[in-house]
Amino acid sequence: MTSRTLRAVLALPLLLASLTAGAEDRAPTAAERDRIEQVLRGHGFSSWGEIGLDGGIWSVDDAHDAQGRERDIRLTPGEYRLVADDEEDRQATDEEFRRIEAALKRGGFVEITGARLEDGLWEVQDAQGPDKRSYFLVLDRETLRILHRAPRS
């Protein structure tokens, strides 16, 4: 087996996991809700509205901080880490794009078109998978883990 074939075989579980990421929008289970509420309290939020999985990202409406300010919060699935959305939305720099492209290619994607930072997460409008299908992807800003994918028509 060549090293290229071995890398492809080893990347398969990552690819399969990424292709199922964010497959459904739903309310949290009791355990997920407890964990999300624990994280919110840990960040100083005192109350909040509806919580749901939306496009592979936990969304919390109308969260009130210690100063009484209200904002909508997003958390990564799995780690329940707050998504920082304080930076302006923008296109990826050349260096950032190369990093994103390399991560996706390790996961089996073959063609990647553009990446944009939107509300604290990377969005890739068009990434061709090994199945020759085109996908819209949302990636964690720091880890580049695929949080959501949707086939493009």
Side-chain angles (χ1 to χ4, degrees), residues 90-94 96-97 100 115-117 122:
R90 61 179 173 77
Q91 289 297 122
T93 65
D94 289 342
E96 290 167 333
F97 180 76
I100 291 165
R116 181 168 176 75
L117 189 64
W122 290 114

Side-chain angles (χ1 to χ4, degrees), residues 24-53:
E24 62 181 275
D25 293 347
R26 61 177 175 79
T29 64
E32 290 167 334
R33 176 175 287 282
D34 287 346
R35 180 69 178 116
I36 291 166
E37 290 178 349
Q38 177 185 19
V39 169
L40 291 171
R41 281 196 269 326
H43 282 278
F45 292 96
S46 57
S47 65
W48 43 86
E50 187 176 343
I51 299 173
L53 191 63

Side-chain angles (χ1 to χ4, degrees), residues 7-21 103-110 127-133 135 137 146 149:
R7 280 195 307 268
V9 169
L10 293 174
L12 189 57
L14 174 64
L15 174 63
L16 293 175
S18 72
L19 292 179
T20 58
L104 291 176
K105 284 187 175 184
R106 281 191 304 274
F109 288 90
V110 293
Q128 185 184 29
D131 59 358
K132 304 292 188 219
R133 292 184 68 190
Y135 293 92
L137 305 173
I146 297 173
R149 66 102 187 124

Side-chain angles (χ1 to χ4, degrees), residues 109-120:
F109 288 90
V110 293
E111 282 291 321
I112 293 90
T113 305
R116 181 168 176 75
L117 189 64
E118 289 283 336
D119 297 326

Side-chain angles (χ1 to χ4, degrees), residues 59-70:
S59 176
V60 180
D61 295 334
D62 307 326
H64 292 88
D65 65 18
Q67 290 76 35
R69 292 179 298 227
E70 180 180 286

